[in-house]
Amino acid sequence: MAALSAHLIWDLTKRDFSERFAGSILGAIWAFIWPLVNLFIYIVIFGQFMGGRLPGSSDVYAYSIYLSVGLIPWTCFAASISRSSTVFLEKKHIISKVDVSLPSLLVFINLSEIITFIITNAFLFCFLVVTNYEFSLKLLLFPFIFFLQQILAFGLGLLSATLTVFLRDLKEVVGIILQLWFWFTPIVYVSGILPDVVRSVLVFSPTFIITESYHRIFVFNDYPAVTSLVILTAITHVILLASYALFRALEKDVRDFL
Amino acid sequence: MIEALFVIVWTWLFIMAAYLSWVKIVNHWKVYLMMAYNWLYLTGIFVIYPKLQGLSRILYEYLA
């Protein structure tokens, strides 16, 4: 196996970013305009124009914050998985010529999406400051929950990237699963509106636990459910381990197939 | 403040352990070891961090 090269990962991340806006006059400035527009939609359109309110809260911005802190990480999570699922196929011209470590291709996608996430969050934090949001030390847990989320995205991405090489239809299946997964996660709605039967099943969804944790920290000024997070951490690492073990077992075949 | 201090020390501890293990171990099994470190690191953060709030309050009252 080729070694993981930090230089290569950083080079691919930079290229991914520059290629996205190649040929445009504003260039990398678009990387700031897109998150700003998305945030505008979440806060102004959903929160103000459509009058979205959180049950039991009189704060006019509570729903906007609720929506933003769920949707911004989800966008990063979903984009990381969906882009990872086809990365081996898209980068086969590099894989066939250079002895590149295949997992490093997933790392650059994750990094690229994390950069977009950080830019969007910087705007969100500016909004929170402007609206006199009360910051607490509980917010320090946010990067760690996000880190856990991205490990899960990496594990699932590696699994789908490996299998998509042999079964091309899988990239469509991944898209459908992510779409369904989004609507079965309390991002745009509160979990309290779900029927008890559905809720009792959804509490086992990793994104349910992660999104609820974000909401608890940002909106309800509370600590996330520790037991759920600890179990999720263990499950996430088992998924990562299993994905990596499967990838190692199939790595030669993956390279041959490409 | 204790919470922030804990995060810094805990992170530094695991970065050092991971760096030393990555450099010393040549075998590819070190990837699995990194996963184990990562699991321990996050579990520690999620379990210990909320418990520090009480300690932080006691210390704050003591210093006040």
Side-chain angles (χ1 to χ4, degrees), chain A residues 137 140 144 147 151 234 237, chain B residues 7 28 35 38-39 41 47 49:
Chain A
L137 272 172
L140 267 182
F144 298 102
F147 181 41
I151 293 169
H237 284 83
Chain B
V7 168
H28 81 271
M35 288 180 200
N38 205 47
W39 170 58
Y41 172 69
V47 172
Y49 190 94

Side-chain angles (χ1 to χ4, degrees), chain A residues 1 4 137-141 144-145 147-148 151 223-224 226 229-230 233-235 237 240-242 244-246 248, chain B residues 1-4 7 11 22 28 31-32 34-36 38-43 45-47 49-53 56:
Chain A
M1 186 184 77
L4 265 170
L137 272 172
K138 294 180 186 80
L139 288 179
L140 267 182
L141 277 175
F144 298 102
I145 300 169
F147 181 41
L148 178 66
I151 293 169
Y223 281 109
V226 174
L229 271 181
V230 168
T233 307
I235 292 170
H237 284 83
L240 180 66
L241 195 139
Y244 185 71
L246 181 78
R248 289 278 302 166
Chain B
M1 272 298 116
I2 284 182
E3 292 98 323
V7 168
T11 305
W22 189 263
H28 81 271
V31 176
Y32 295 104
M34 292 302 126
M35 288 180 200
N38 205 47
W39 170 58
L40 278 174
Y41 172 69
L42 283 176
T43 304
I45 290 272
F46 294 140
V47 172
Y49 190 94
K51 289 189 167 58
L52 290 173
Q53 197 189 27
S56 182

Side-chain angles (χ1 to χ4, degrees), chain A:
Chain A
M1 186 184 77
L4 265 170
S5 162
H7 180 73
L8 174 76
I9 291 167
W10 184 238
D11 209 45
L12 285 168
T13 310
K14 277 197 297 187
R15 195 182 300 178
D16 184 59
F17 231 78
S18 57
E19 273 176 6
R20 208 183 293 177
F21 310 108
S24 62
I25 297 167
L26 293 178
I29 296 173
W30 284 112
F32 293 86
I33 294 173
W34 267 112
L36 203 58
V37 170
N38 285 338
L39 213 57
F40 173 80
I41 293 168
Y42 306 156
I43 293 167
V44 180
I45 307 289
F46 285 107
Q48 305 304 309
F49 292 174
M50 289 173 68
R53 293 287 177 271
L54 267 190
S57 173
S58 56
D59 186 353
V60 288
Y61 295 115
Y63 181 70
S64 302
I65 297 169
Y66 182 90
L67 186 65
S68 302
V69 298
L71 209 45
I72 296 168
W74 171 267
T75 309
C76 184
F77 177 75
S80 301
I81 296 177
S82 65
R83 287 188 63 202
S84 295
S85 65
T86 55
V87 70
F88 293 163
L89 297 172
E90 284 169 8
K91 298 289 178 194
K92 64 179 174 187
H93 58 284
I94 298 176
I95 297 166
S96 56
K97 286 178 192 149
V98 189
D99 186 22
V100 61
S101 153
L102 298 185
S104 67
L105 296 174
L106 275 89
V107 176
F108 101 78
I109 283 180
N110 270 269
L111 272 179
S112 178
E113 292 304 326
I114 288 170
I115 291 170
T116 311
F117 168 82
I118 290 170
I119 294 169
T120 317
N121 258 308
F123 287 124
L124 175 66
F125 273 79
C126 289
F127 167 76
L128 294 177
V129 170
V130 169
T131 54
N132 291 322
Y133 176 82
E134 227 174 273
F135 290 93
S136 77
L137 272 172
K138 294 180 186 80
L139 288 179
L140 267 182
L141 277 175
F142 175 54
F144 298 102
I145 300 169
F146 176 73
F147 181 41
L148 178 66
Q149 173 198 296
Q150 285 311 106
I151 293 169
L152 180 66
F154 186 88
L156 294 174
L158 185 61
L159 182 70
S160 59
T162 308
L163 297 177
T164 305
V165 173
F166 307 106
L167 197 66
R168 308 276 163 117
D169 298 60
L170 211 63
K171 66 177 179 186
E172 304 301 331
V173 176
V174 168
I176 292 168
I177 290 172
L178 284 171
Q179 184 73 353
L180 286 170
W181 206 355
F182 172 78
W183 289 106
F184 280 106
T185 305
I187 294 170
V188 291
Y189 56 86
V190 288
S191 59
I193 66 163
L194 293 168
D196 286 343
V197 184
V198 179
R199 203 184 136 79
S200 61
V201 175
L202 287 186
V203 289
F204 296 105
S205 162
T207 52
F208 187 97
I209 298 166
I210 289 169
T211 309
E212 287 276 281
S213 302
Y214 293 143
H215 289 152
R216 274 181 179 230
I217 292 172
F218 276 93
V219 186
F220 305 112
N221 193 21
D222 195 8
Y223 281 109
V226 174
T227 317
S228 304
L229 271 181
V230 168
I231 293 169
L232 181 62
T233 307
I235 292 170
T236 299
H237 284 83
V238 169
I239 291 172
L240 180 66
L241 195 139
S243 301
Y244 185 71
L246 181 78
F247 163 77
R248 289 278 302 166
L250 294 174
E251 187 176 3
K252 197 177 171 300
D253 294 329
V254 168
R255 287 181 189 273
D256 289 346
F257 245 77
L258 291 170

